[in-house]
């Protein structure tokens, strides 16, 4: 019957938005008769009461349709995302996403919910098997073609033929070079001369349970790759064994090919285990032993001082398994001892 009810509200001031998610046949609207929430009308909701009459009459929306095929211009491509954008002058100006749709088994799509205006369209294969493209045959939205959409009409024939994409693959392991690491983000970058030049993010993938990954959707060109663990257990690395993209290695990707062997062995990000003095004992006049535990293979420095002096270093010691025993000497009547991690 067109009626609705929104519950669970605390007393306060609200605004309301109406959206046709089912088919995009009607335009989004905010109460009352506003194009967005910023220009909408405040609704005062008292405690434990129902505010009625928050109604809307939605205008018919426009629509865009088309078909997406493979490189031969004939084979239909399913599950290709097709997104419509409009230019906004906010924040210096950019192409703002408005609505989207996905192609069916016949490669056809329909994008609804559009107001009259000028749009650009982008075609993306999230599986990475085909190269992203903007209408018509443009590499991006900035170089795309304007599409004029009249009010309450359907613009047809916004088609695209997508080229086969290139791909990169590899494996990510832990510090031992053997243990596979899962859920590591692997990102591909290309150099751009825009804004003074920088490495521009192009595509990404994640490692599976075997540590393997695959990044698709790539055009032919030169790339660099970065590995990142969002859990923070391993340090970032760029291919190959570089600390960042600027010092990384170029990877040349041919047209429609898969470049394999882009592997990485990530170092642990875990901080060194603190050394713990578990026992201190005198063995003879002026002779003592420090018993400590710590991270195996880590070098520690024993430091000493009396109550007023600065800390002074003794000889470094490499931690072994179990309790480590280090002999020390002091002729002072009182002395403080500690361990610090060697640089």
């Amino acid at each position: 019957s067109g009626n609705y009810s929104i519950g669970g509200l605390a007393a306060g001031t609200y605004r309301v938005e109406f959206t046709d998610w089912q088919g995009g046949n009607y335009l989004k609207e905010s109460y009352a008769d506003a194009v967005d929430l910023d220009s909408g009308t405040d609704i005062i909701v008292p405690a434990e009461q129902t505010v009625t009459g928050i109604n809307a009459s939605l205008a018919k929306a426009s629509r865009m349709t088309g078909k997406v095929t493979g490189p031969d211009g004939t084979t239909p491509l399913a599950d290709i995302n097709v997104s419509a954008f409009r230019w906004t002058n906010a924040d210096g100006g950019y192409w703002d996403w408005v609505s989207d749709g996905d192609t069916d088994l016949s490669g056809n799509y329909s994008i609804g919910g559009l107001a009259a205006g000028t749009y650009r369209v982008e075609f993306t294969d999230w599986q990475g098997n085909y190269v992203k493209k903007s209408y018509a045959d443009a590499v991006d939205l900035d170089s795309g073609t304007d599409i004029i959409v009249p009010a309450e009409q359907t613009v047809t024939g916004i088609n695209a033929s997508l080229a086969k994409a290139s791909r990169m693959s590899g494996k990510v392991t832990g510090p031992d070079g053997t243990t596979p690491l899962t859920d590591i983000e692997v990102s591909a970058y290309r150099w751009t001369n825009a804004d003074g030049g920088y490495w521009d993010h192009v595509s990404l993938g994640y490692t599976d349970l075997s540590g393997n990954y695959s990044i698709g959707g790539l055009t032919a060109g030169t790339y660099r790759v970065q590995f990142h663990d969002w859990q923070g257990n391993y340090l970032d690395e760029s291919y190959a064994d570089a600390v960042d993209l600027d010092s990384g290695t170029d990877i040349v990707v041919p047209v429609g090919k898969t470049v394999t062997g882009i592997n990485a062995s990530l170092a642990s990000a875990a901080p060194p285990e603190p050394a713990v003095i578990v026992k201190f004992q005198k063995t003879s006049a002026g002779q003592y032993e420090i018993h400590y535990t710590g991270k195996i293979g880590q070098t520690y420095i024993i430091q000493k001082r009396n109550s007023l002096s600065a800390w002074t270093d003794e000889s470094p010691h490499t931690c072994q398994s179990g309790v480590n025993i280090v002999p020390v000497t002091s002729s002072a009547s009182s002395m403080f001892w500690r361990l610090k991690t060697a640089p």
Side-chain angles (χ1 to χ4, degrees), residues 74-302:
T74 303
T75 305
L77 300 183
D79 294 325
I80 302 298
N81 179 262
V82 188
S83 294
F85 297 80
R86 287 187 73 173
W87 183 259
T88 174
N89 290 315
D91 300 325
Y94 61 95
W95 288 103
D96 186 33
W97 180 91
V98 176
S99 186
D100 68 1
D102 294 311
T103 57
D104 59 20
L105 293 176
S106 299
N108 297 314
Y109 74 89
S110 179
I111 302 175
L114 304 179
T118 301
Y119 294 82
R120 292 194 182 179
V121 167
E122 187 172 66
F123 306 88
T124 304
D125 173 22
W126 292 114
Q127 302 301 313
N129 297 316
Y130 296 90
V131 176
K132 179 189 294 185
K133 177 187 287 189
S134 293
Y135 182 83
D137 294 320
V139 295
D140 55 29
L141 289 171
D142 289 333
S143 55
T145 300
D146 287 343
I147 303 166
I148 308 300
V149 177
E152 299 184 23
Q153 293 192 33
T154 296
V155 178
T156 62
I158 309 302
N159 306 324
S161 177
L162 304 186
K164 285 285 289 183
S166 298
R167 189 174 287 273
M168 278 191 285
S169 65
K171 185 170 185 174
V172 182
T173 59
D176 59 6
T178 303
T179 304
L181 301 183
T182 186
D183 290 329
I184 302 298
E185 182 183 275
V186 188
S187 295
Y189 295 80
R190 288 187 72 170
W191 183 259
T192 175
N193 290 316
D195 299 326
Y198 61 94
W199 288 102
D200 186 33
H201 185 270
V202 176
S203 187
L204 60 78
Y206 290 88
T207 57
D208 59 20
L209 292 176
S210 299
N212 297 314
Y213 74 90
S214 181
I215 301 175
L218 305 179
T219 58
T222 301
Y223 294 82
R224 291 193 181 178
V225 167
Q226 188 172 63
F227 306 88
H228 178 73
D229 173 25
W230 286 105
Q231 301 301 314
N233 298 316
Y234 298 92
L235 296 178
D236 284 1
E237 183 176 303
S238 293
Y239 182 82
D241 294 320
V243 295
D244 55 29
L245 289 170
D246 289 333
S247 55
T249 301
D250 286 342
I251 303 166
V252 178
V253 177
V255 176
K257 302 291 184 181
T258 296
V259 178
T260 60
I262 309 302
N263 306 324
S265 177
L266 304 186
S268 175
E273 296 178 19
V276 177
I277 297 177
V278 296
K279 185 177 181 180
F280 184 82
Q281 69 178 26
K282 182 177 181 180
T283 56
S284 61
Q287 304 295 315
Y288 304 89
E289 284 181 348
I290 291 177
H291 298 227
Y292 79 93
T293 60
K295 181 179 179 181
I296 298 173
Q298 175 67 54
T299 299
Y300 297 102
I301 296 174
I302 296 175

